[in-house]
Amino acid sequence: MEKTWWKESVVYQIYPRSFNDSNGDGIGDIQGIIEKLDYLKELGIDVIWLSPVYKSPNDDNGYDISDYYDIMDDFGTMEDWERLLDEIHARGMKLIMDLVVNHSSDEHEWFQQAKKSKDNPYRDYYIWRKGKDGREPNNWKSTFSGSAWEYNEATGDYYLHIFSKKQPDLNWENPELRQDVYKMMKWWLDKGVDGFRMDVINFISKVPGLPDAPNPNGEPYVSGSRYFKNGPRIHEFLQEMNEEVLAHYDVMTVGEMPGVDVEEAKKYTHFERNELQMVFQFEHMDLDSGPDGKWDLKPLDLRDLKASISRWQNGLNGAGWNSLYLNNHDQPRVVSRFGNDQEYRVESAKMLATFLHMLQGTPYIYQGEEIGMTNVHFEDIEDYQDIEIRNMYKEKVVEGNADHDQVMESIYTKGRDNARTPFQWNDLEHAGFTTGEPWIKVNPNYKHINAEKATADPDSIFHYYRQLIQLRKQQPIIVYGDYELILPVHEQIYAYIRHYEGEKLLVITNFGEEPVDFSLPEEIEFEPEERLIGNYADDQSHPGSFTLKPYEARVYKGK
Ligand code: NOJ
């Protein structure tokens, strides 16, 4: 397997709006990030992924871009951004930018032109269709509720928006649009960025004809996602992008891909296919959802997690490369989700980190994960800012007849704002995030969960993450070893072995709050040499057989 810097890296995601506010306007900004780079250096991460900082009217917090060549006023200026890049590089770290090119903002100049008339030169930069029987062109549903189509008065037809109506989908069938995107990517790469995280990049090729989704129950809108995920020209587009842009730089790429399976991911990331290096897949993030999607709550069955992760570990081994994540700005906090954010917050956060960081792939840490930030409960729906939450609540409770309490429960469990409350720096007002009024309320638990406390405590989650990151630098087996699941049907223990050049790593994690006996299956040969890390004091028990404490995690190296 080829050794590369991006396989050996740990990435840290910054959601700029919620990270650190330097000017007291209640919104995080670029200068605020610069102030905290030494904190990230201390943590030991290698790469920063910055969620969008481009010009945007903020319908979806920057994932609706109105100018790809400029910085959002809330966040600062291009000079600020250039300084950020310099300061990151000066500390030996790298920066990857978010690339959002499935759609633009409706306020982008391209769309402003396109919507004027059918013969406008930019018309074909977007996806337009005539209505059908006085209705939308097809029955596809927007991710943010309602139809995926919006009527445009001036041209008398509809444009497609898989996300909000202020996020019109770009038309990748148009070679001029593609060239404009490549030009913009080169412009950023020439400024020195080290790669891209590509937003819903497997949505850019749609099935021609944009057919209705099968709709046996006759609901007004059904998801048409099978017609725009991993579409017929997707690999062609990505190979073209690679040839025209990416191949000319030593960069890191990760494509966000809802609805991708292992076989498809192998194609996207195969080292011989020249597309992307990694994808963000969603299988493990969907295991606690019922048939009606993310708001349909269902407890996680650990056996499903094992089956899914193992499929990805083995499926991409030697062919492509995995990204490893449990958190990001779209997901609830994992310590609340798969751990216990009360009595065992520290133990379970460390256990989940161990489970993830010892897998094969590149780990991603989302801001606040390293101090064990938790989900939030705002009683009042008005305190939620996320367009997805607001639209869903409106559709289900205000316009439909869903039960308020039940919908709030699903927001508490799955809502994206769980991840977007301000970073908790200290126990001062607004958690030290801002001296002004924060754009979204701070999680009230900041008095005891904050970075100042975590960095001062050698037993904190923060210092545990530091150790995990350091271990990756010292132990090539963590990066390059093969993966073998053991105890596949155990309901509480997730354990696996990594193999590399005659060495082994035994990773044992207890996903429950009850103590549980572990014994190594007889057919497994393992001679322990040392315990590399664990979230309880080392009791010197033999790794062949012992009792795991609540949410305990241990990693042994041996032969
Ligand atoms: C995925 C992003 O991560 C999410 O935050 C955003 O709302 C959608 N794509 C649309 O850009």
Side-chain angles (χ1 to χ4, degrees):
M1 189 189 299
E2 203 201 338
K3 298 196 165 169
T4 64
W5 62 265
W6 46 267
K7 289 178 183 162
E8 295 170 10
S9 292
V10 176
V11 183
Y12 187 93
Q13 183 193 353
I14 293 182
Y15 193 68
R17 219 175 168 72
S18 306
F19 192 58
N20 185 34
D21 174 21
S22 72
N23 64 358
D25 66 358
I27 299 172
D29 49 43
I30 293 175
Q31 287 295 345
I33 299 173
I34 295 173
E35 287 172 9
K36 300 297 184 185
L37 290 178
D38 288 333
Y39 166 82
L40 298 181
K41 188 68 196 168
E42 186 188 349
L43 180 59
I45 56 101
D46 308 281
V47 178
I48 294 172
W49 150 27
L50 187 57
S51 277
V53 291
Y54 312 96
K55 258 237 158 63
S56 162
N58 265 314
D59 194 48
D60 185 20
N61 289 354
Y63 282 91
D64 49 319
I65 297 171
S66 54
D67 186 347
Y68 290 100
Y69 293 90
D70 207 350
I71 301 293
M72 192 191 299
D73 293 334
D74 286 342
F75 293 157
T77 63
M78 189 59 84
E79 286 70 47
D80 294 331
W81 181 87
E82 282 162 357
R83 181 154 165 246
L84 172 67
L85 182 66
D86 288 347
E87 297 282 345
I88 290 172
H89 284 165
R91 286 168 179 78
M93 300 187 288
K94 294 183 191 284
L95 175 66
I96 67 172
M97 295 285 276
D98 222 302
L99 183 76
V100 188
V101 289
N102 171 67
H103 45 271
S104 72
S105 162
D106 66 334
E107 297 183 31
H108 192 288
E109 181 57 23
W110 295 338
F111 191 77
Q112 290 297 308
Q113 290 290 333
K115 71 175 191 186
K116 280 187 189 159
S117 67
K118 289 188 171 170
D119 55 10
N120 190 283
Y122 286 101
R123 159 97 177 169
D124 205 27
Y125 272 46
Y126 295 88
I127 300 170
W128 301 92
R129 290 291 183 278
K130 284 204 293 284
K132 222 168 58 186
D133 311 325
R135 289 203 59 132
E136 293 78 5
N138 70 22
N139 64 2
W140 296 3
K141 187 175 168 149
S142 150
T143 307
F144 297 154
S145 306
S147 169
W149 295 93
E150 183 72 10
Y151 187 67
N152 180 47
E153 203 65 63
T155 52
D157 54 7
Y158 293 78
Y159 64 87
L160 177 69
H161 61 90
I162 303 292
F163 295 91
S164 94
K165 60 180 184 219
K166 287 184 67 61
Q167 294 168 295
D169 279 53
L170 288 162
N171 177 19
W172 276 71
E173 302 290 326
N174 177 356
E176 284 170 38
L177 173 269
R178 301 206 297 274
Q179 285 306 322
D180 265 335
V181 170
Y182 303 153
K183 190 172 115 198
M184 177 269 288
M185 291 171 72
K186 286 184 209 154
W187 189 83
W188 284 101
L189 291 166
D190 290 338
K191 284 177 92 64
V193 310
D194 302 293
F196 296 108
R197 174 268 185 188
M198 303 183 186
D199 193 67
V200 288
I201 198 69
N202 63 330
F203 287 16
I204 60 178
S205 163
K206 277 89 177 163
V207 168
L210 314 181
D212 267 327
N215 192 15
N217 302 327
E219 291 107 356
Y221 301 111
V222 296
S223 168
S225 69
R226 67 171 79 177
Y227 300 114
F228 57 77
K229 290 178 179 166
N230 313 305
R233 295 186 71 190
I234 183 68
H235 295 288
E236 176 198 334
F237 292 157
L238 290 176
Q239 284 173 9
E240 182 186 83
M241 176 195 279
N242 190 295
E243 192 180 315
E244 301 238 356
V245 186
L246 302 169
H248 306 280
Y249 302 84
D250 177 21
V251 290
M252 168 173 164
T253 55
V254 50
E256 187 210 20
M257 299 202 176
V260 70
D261 63 16
V262 182
E263 284 315 307
E264 203 64 34
K266 221 190 261 184
K267 295 190 195 153
Y268 286 120
T269 66
H270 199 287
F271 63 93
E272 280 171 344
R273 286 179 54 95
N274 300 323
E275 296 183 22
L276 301 174
Q277 294 157 348
M278 287 171 255
V279 303
F280 285 134
Q281 55 100 359
F282 283 70
E283 234 179 68
H284 64 307
M285 294 282 98
D286 293 337
L287 297 175
D288 56 352
S289 299
D292 288 336
K294 82 179 254 186
W295 305 113
D296 180 9
L297 307 180
K298 173 183 140 189
L300 173 74
D301 182 329
L302 186 64
R303 291 165 299 183
D304 293 341
L305 183 69
K306 291 184 202 182
S308 169
I309 295 287
S310 302
R311 210 166 33 244
W312 283 85
Q313 287 286 297
N314 296 325
L316 295 192
N317 185 27
W321 193 248
N322 273 292
S323 71
L324 307 171
Y325 77 95
L326 291 170
N327 283 284
N328 61 40
H329 65 291
D330 294 330
Q331 299 294 339
R333 294 285 180 180
V334 75
V335 68
S336 306
R337 186 179 191 177
F338 297 159
N340 174 328
D341 64 8
Q342 301 295 314
E343 196 183 344
Y344 296 111
R345 186 183 67 88
V346 173
E347 291 81 358
S348 64
K350 290 177 179 175
M351 181 280 289
L352 290 162
T354 315
F355 152 69
L356 193 76
H357 283 240
M358 292 298 133
L359 293 169
Q360 188 192 69
T362 298
Y364 290 72
I365 301 170
Y366 176 67
Q367 66 185 39
E369 178 182 334
E370 77 282 12
I371 57 168
M373 280 178 63
T374 69
N375 281 353
V376 74
H377 283 213
F378 296 140
E379 303 284 313
D380 188 348
I381 185 69
E382 290 304 318
D383 287 330
Y384 287 93
Q385 308 296 338
D386 176 21
I387 182 169
E388 182 184 41
I389 295 178
R390 285 177 168 248
N391 288 1
M392 182 276 283
Y393 184 88
K394 186 161 159 257
E395 184 179 81
K396 290 198 170 164
V397 181
V398 182
E399 292 158 3
N401 51 17
D403 176 54
H404 164 88
D405 292 338
Q406 206 181 335
V407 170
M408 290 310 285
E409 205 45 51
S410 67
I411 294 172
Y412 297 151
T413 312
K414 289 287 189 65
R416 305 197 297 182
D417 279 343
N418 284 307
R420 300 176 181 186
T421 59
F423 191 99
Q424 294 163 207
W425 292 105
N426 55 41
D427 63 3
L428 303 174
E429 202 188 7
H430 308 313
F433 162 72
T434 181
T435 54
E437 263 315 299
W439 69 276
I440 183 171
K441 280 190 171 171
V442 173
N443 191 322
N445 64 20
Y446 71 92
K447 293 262 178 209
H448 73 278
I449 303 174
N450 62 64
E452 194 174 275
K453 236 178 134 181
T455 46
D457 170 7
D459 281 334
S460 68
I461 302 167
F462 176 88
H463 287 290
Y464 194 86
Y465 269 84
R466 272 189 59 202
Q467 281 183 56
L468 286 171
I469 297 168
Q470 287 318 311
L471 276 175
R472 168 170 298 264
K473 311 262 175 271
Q474 296 150 8
Q475 307 280 348
I477 188 171
I478 297 176
V479 181
Y480 295 109
D482 292 353
Y483 163 98
E484 181 192 0
L485 179 69
I486 57 176
L487 307 177
V489 293
H490 200 289
E491 288 174 32
Q492 198 178 329
I493 298 175
Y494 192 149
Y496 56 91
I497 300 189
R498 306 284 308 277
H499 303 258
Y500 186 64
E501 298 185 340
E503 292 189 319
K504 288 180 188 162
L505 209 62
L506 171 61
V507 181
I508 309 162
T509 55
N510 176 5
F511 269 68
E513 57 187 62
E514 301 300 330
V516 59
D517 291 334
F518 170 83
S519 42
L520 199 60
E522 265 172 30
E523 67 279 11
I524 304 282
E525 279 179 31
F526 183 75
E527 266 176 57
E529 280 167 2
E530 56 173 324
R531 192 183 90 144
L532 288 185
I533 192 166
N535 60 351
Y536 285 85
D538 190 357
D539 62 5
Q540 307 291 325
S541 56
H542 190 275
S545 176
F546 57 86
T547 302
L548 283 161
K549 300 187 180 65
Y551 295 103
E552 183 166 4
R554 307 178 175 201
V555 180
Y556 293 95
K557 198 172 166 190
K559 289 234 160 43

